[in-house]
Amino acid sequence: MAENETGQTGSQEQEKNQGQFGIQKIYVKDLSFETPHSPQIFSENLQPTVNLQLSNESQRMAENTYEVVLSLTVTVGTDDKTFYLAEVKQAGIFHISSFPDATIQRMVSTICPNILFPFARELVSDLVTRGGFPQLLLAPVNFEALYAQQQQQQDAQSPTDEAGRTH
């Protein structure tokens, strides 16, 4: 095998330049379930609406190590009455190395939440069922589309000069 000027073989150099991604830990960071109108709510025959709010936070814990927290708040009820409120913070610790900063930001905003969402979805479903309500299965979320939308909003808010450079 041919060696380059640094003495590394071609496959070793290629391996070194490739980024690495790994899951180190997945865990529940915070959990809450409330039924403010129980037990009376169980005897009512109302058609509730489901409101899902989600957010994603990340922080660098150490070199190449990131904690990502996916927060879901599910509120089910009518305009004047909350049947239940479930709040879940599903977290993970990820090893991400040898990627450009912009790629890492995209990964912690898209790939990591995609990994965490099924765990959070199952946790919400379990909480709701254990709370005495019918099973709730949350629809999949397109984190790529949410990230692209967020980037467009940020780009629209950033002032640019005549050459198109962001300040």
Side-chain angles (χ1 to χ4, degrees):
M1 196 176 279
E3 291 187 11
N4 61 18
E5 292 176 11
T6 61
Q8 293 180 323
T9 63
S11 63
Q12 287 174 332
E13 183 177 334
Q14 186 179 14
E15 219 173 85
K16 182 180 175 186
N17 291 333
Q18 289 182 344
Q20 295 181 345
F21 177 85
I23 302 169
Q24 294 184 339
K25 185 90 172 155
I26 293 180
Y27 58 98
V28 176
K29 189 163 184 136
D30 193 12
L31 182 62
S32 172
F33 185 78
E34 301 171 27
T35 57
H37 294 97
S38 63
Q40 296 82 7
I41 200 71
F42 295 118
S43 62
E44 295 186 23
N45 191 16
L46 302 171
Q47 295 299 317
T49 58
V50 178
N51 179 17
L52 170 65
Q53 296 178 346
L54 57 95
S55 65
N56 178 40
E57 299 175 27
S58 64
Q59 70 173 351
R60 187 175 180 173
M61 297 174 54
E63 186 174 353
N64 303 326
T65 305
Y66 299 84
E67 179 195 45
V68 177
V69 180
L70 178 63
S71 300
L72 283 77
T73 302
V74 180
T75 308
V76 175
T78 60
D79 288 339
D80 62 338
K81 209 175 266 190
T82 299
F83 288 28
Y84 61 85
L85 172 72
E87 296 175 309
V88 171
K89 288 189 178 185
Q90 186 72 52
I93 299 173
F94 299 89
H95 172 84
I96 306 172
S97 65
S98 301
F99 288 101
D101 287 344
T103 302
I104 291 173
Q105 182 58 42
R106 183 178 200 94
M107 291 173 79
V108 299
S109 298
T110 60
I111 294 172
C112 297
N114 271 320
I115 291 169
L116 296 173
F117 185 76
F119 293 93
R121 178 183 176 184
E122 180 182 13
L123 193 52
V124 167
S125 179
D126 190 47
L127 278 172
V128 169
T129 304
R130 288 178 185 263
F133 295 93
Q135 183 181 32
L136 175 68
L137 294 176
L138 299 175
V141 175
N142 185 339
F143 290 99
E144 283 285 338
L146 291 176
Y147 180 75
Q149 182 182 21
Q150 179 186 23
Q151 291 302 109
Q152 286 176 345
Q153 288 174 351
Q154 287 178 354
D155 290 347
Q157 294 174 354
S158 298
T160 56
D161 63 15
E162 293 172 7
R165 292 183 294 246
T166 304
H167 293 283

PDB file of all heavy atoms in Angstrom, residues 43 55 68 70 72 90 94-95 115-116 138 146 151:
ATOM      1  N   SER A  43     -65.947  11.061  33.234  1.00  0.00           N
ATOM      2  CA  SER A  43     -67.374  10.828  32.995  1.00  0.00           C
ATOM      3  C   SER A  43     -67.929  11.728  31.892  1.00  0.00           C
ATOM      4  O   SER A  43     -69.074  11.573  31.492  1.00  0.00           O
ATOM      5  CB  SER A  43     -68.171  11.032  34.288  1.00  0.00           C
ATOM      6  OG  SER A  43     -68.038  12.365  34.731  1.00  0.00           O
ATOM      7  N   SER A  55     -39.461  21.237  21.347  1.00  0.00           N
ATOM      8  CA  SER A  55     -38.254  22.041  21.206  1.00  0.00           C
ATOM      9  C   SER A  55     -37.054  21.135  21.392  1.00  0.00           C
ATOM     10  O   SER A  55     -37.166  20.016  21.897  1.00  0.00           O
ATOM     11  CB  SER A  55     -38.238  23.195  22.218  1.00  0.00           C
ATOM     12  OG  SER A  55     -38.167  22.695  23.536  1.00  0.00           O
ATOM     13  N   VAL A  68     -28.107  16.358  23.948  1.00  0.00           N
ATOM     14  CA  VAL A  68     -29.238  16.881  23.200  1.00  0.00           C
ATOM     15  C   VAL A  68     -30.495  16.527  23.987  1.00  0.00           C
ATOM     16  O   VAL A  68     -30.660  15.390  24.421  1.00  0.00           O
ATOM     17  CB  VAL A  68     -29.305  16.283  21.777  1.00  0.00           C
ATOM     18  CG1 VAL A  68     -30.528  16.794  21.033  1.00  0.00           C
ATOM     19  CG2 VAL A  68     -28.029  16.614  21.002  1.00  0.00           C
ATOM     20  N   LEU A  70     -34.638  16.725  23.833  1.00  0.00           N
ATOM     21  CA  LEU A  70     -35.858  16.920  23.067  1.00  0.00           C
ATOM     22  C   LEU A  70     -37.001  17.070  24.063  1.00  0.00           C
ATOM     23  O   LEU A  70     -37.264  16.159  24.850  1.00  0.00           O
ATOM     24  CB  LEU A  70     -36.105  15.724  22.140  1.00  0.00           C
ATOM     25  CG  LEU A  70     -37.371  15.761  21.297  1.00  0.00           C
ATOM     26  CD1 LEU A  70     -37.348  16.935  20.326  1.00  0.00           C
ATOM     27  CD2 LEU A  70     -37.542  14.451  20.545  1.00  0.00           C
ATOM     28  N   LEU A  72     -41.025  17.678  24.776  1.00  0.00           N
ATOM     29  CA  LEU A  72     -42.371  17.582  24.233  1.00  0.00           C
ATOM     30  C   LEU A  72     -43.364  17.976  25.311  1.00  0.00           C
ATOM     31  O   LEU A  72     -43.267  17.504  26.444  1.00  0.00           O
ATOM     32  CB  LEU A  72     -42.700  16.143  23.811  1.00  0.00           C
ATOM     33  CG  LEU A  72     -42.132  15.609  22.521  1.00  0.00           C
ATOM     34  CD1 LEU A  72     -40.697  15.236  22.679  1.00  0.00           C
ATOM     35  CD2 LEU A  72     -42.926  14.420  22.083  1.00  0.00           C
ATOM     36  N   GLN A  90     -36.704  14.091  26.817  1.00  0.00           N
ATOM     37  CA  GLN A  90     -35.917  12.914  26.468  1.00  0.00           C
ATOM     38  C   GLN A  90     -34.541  13.405  26.039  1.00  0.00           C
ATOM     39  O   GLN A  90     -34.434  14.309  25.212  1.00  0.00           O
ATOM     40  CB  GLN A  90     -36.599  12.163  25.321  1.00  0.00           C
ATOM     41  CG  GLN A  90     -35.957  10.853  24.976  1.00  0.00           C
ATOM     42  CD  GLN A  90     -36.207   9.805  26.044  1.00  0.00           C
ATOM     43  OE1 GLN A  90     -37.338   9.567  26.444  1.00  0.00           O
ATOM     44  NE2 GLN A  90     -35.159   9.173  26.504  1.00  0.00           N
ATOM     45  N   PHE A  94     -24.259  12.242  22.845  1.00  0.00           N
ATOM     46  CA  PHE A  94     -23.776  11.802  21.542  1.00  0.00           C
ATOM     47  C   PHE A  94     -22.307  12.177  21.357  1.00  0.00           C
ATOM     48  O   PHE A  94     -21.883  13.259  21.764  1.00  0.00           O
ATOM     49  CB  PHE A  94     -24.604  12.453  20.426  1.00  0.00           C
ATOM     50  CG  PHE A  94     -26.057  12.099  20.482  1.00  0.00           C
ATOM     51  CD1 PHE A  94     -26.950  12.865  21.225  1.00  0.00           C
ATOM     52  CD2 PHE A  94     -26.543  10.993  19.815  1.00  0.00           C
ATOM     53  CE1 PHE A  94     -28.300  12.549  21.290  1.00  0.00           C
ATOM     54  CE2 PHE A  94     -27.894  10.656  19.868  1.00  0.00           C
ATOM     55  CZ  PHE A  94     -28.769  11.435  20.608  1.00  0.00           C
ATOM     56  N   HIS A  95     -21.573  11.277  20.730  1.00  0.00           N
ATOM     57  CA  HIS A  95     -20.188  11.544  20.346  1.00  0.00           C
ATOM     58  C   HIS A  95     -20.219  11.971  18.882  1.00  0.00           C
ATOM     59  O   HIS A  95     -20.695  11.228  18.015  1.00  0.00           O
ATOM     60  CB  HIS A  95     -19.325  10.287  20.506  1.00  0.00           C
ATOM     61  CG  HIS A  95     -17.949  10.460  19.948  1.00  0.00           C
ATOM     62  ND1 HIS A  95     -16.941  11.036  20.667  1.00  0.00           N
ATOM     63  CD2 HIS A  95     -17.435  10.158  18.727  1.00  0.00           C
ATOM     64  CE1 HIS A  95     -15.851  11.070  19.916  1.00  0.00           C
ATOM     65  NE2 HIS A  95     -16.127  10.550  18.730  1.00  0.00           N
ATOM     66  N   ILE A 115     -33.391  10.442  16.556  1.00  0.00           N
ATOM     67  CA  ILE A 115     -33.075   9.267  17.371  1.00  0.00           C
ATOM     68  C   ILE A 115     -33.880   9.298  18.675  1.00  0.00           C
ATOM     69  O   ILE A 115     -34.394   8.277  19.127  1.00  0.00           O
ATOM     70  CB  ILE A 115     -31.559   9.198  17.650  1.00  0.00           C
ATOM     71  CG1 ILE A 115     -30.816   8.874  16.347  1.00  0.00           C
ATOM     72  CG2 ILE A 115     -31.234   8.174  18.736  1.00  0.00           C
ATOM     73  CD1 ILE A 115     -29.317   9.032  16.429  1.00  0.00           C
ATOM     74  N   LEU A 116     -34.017  10.470  19.281  1.00  0.00           N
ATOM     75  CA  LEU A 116     -34.685  10.599  20.574  1.00  0.00           C
ATOM     76  C   LEU A 116     -36.211  10.527  20.485  1.00  0.00           C
ATOM     77  O   LEU A 116     -36.874  10.073  21.429  1.00  0.00           O
ATOM     78  CB  LEU A 116     -34.284  11.922  21.241  1.00  0.00           C
ATOM     79  CG  LEU A 116     -32.812  12.071  21.613  1.00  0.00           C
ATOM     80  CD1 LEU A 116     -32.535  13.490  22.098  1.00  0.00           C
ATOM     81  CD2 LEU A 116     -32.409  11.045  22.650  1.00  0.00           C
ATOM     82  N   LEU A 138     -48.270   9.814  18.865  1.00  0.00           N
ATOM     83  CA  LEU A 138     -47.878  11.041  18.181  1.00  0.00           C
ATOM     84  C   LEU A 138     -47.377  10.715  16.783  1.00  0.00           C
ATOM     85  O   LEU A 138     -46.672   9.730  16.570  1.00  0.00           O
ATOM     86  CB  LEU A 138     -46.775  11.752  18.976  1.00  0.00           C
ATOM     87  CG  LEU A 138     -47.146  12.190  20.389  1.00  0.00           C
ATOM     88  CD1 LEU A 138     -45.940  12.755  21.105  1.00  0.00           C
ATOM     89  CD2 LEU A 138     -48.268  13.218  20.345  1.00  0.00           C
ATOM     90  N   LEU A 146     -38.138  21.163   9.972  1.00  0.00           N
ATOM     91  CA  LEU A 146     -38.160  22.164  11.044  1.00  0.00           C
ATOM     92  C   LEU A 146     -36.850  22.950  11.087  1.00  0.00           C
ATOM     93  O   LEU A 146     -36.845  24.164  11.270  1.00  0.00           O
ATOM     94  CB  LEU A 146     -38.413  21.496  12.399  1.00  0.00           C
ATOM     95  CG  LEU A 146     -39.800  20.906  12.616  1.00  0.00           C
ATOM     96  CD1 LEU A 146     -39.869  20.186  13.955  1.00  0.00           C
ATOM     97  CD2 LEU A 146     -40.863  21.987  12.533  1.00  0.00           C
ATOM     98  N   GLN A 151     -33.748  27.872   9.877  1.00  0.00           N
ATOM     99  CA  GLN A 151     -32.628  28.527   9.178  1.00  0.00           C
ATOM    100  C   GLN A 151     -33.145  29.641   8.274  1.00  0.00           C
ATOM    101  O   GLN A 151     -32.544  30.715   8.210  1.00  0.00           O
ATOM    102  CB  GLN A 151     -31.828  27.507   8.366  1.00  0.00           C
ATOM    103  CG  GLN A 151     -31.049  26.525   9.216  1.00  0.00           C
ATOM    104  CD  GLN A 151     -30.074  27.197  10.168  1.00  0.00           C
ATOM    105  OE1 GLN A 151     -30.274  27.223  11.372  1.00  0.00           O
ATOM    106  NE2 GLN A 151     -29.037  27.765   9.630  1.00  0.00           N
TER     107      GLN A 151
END
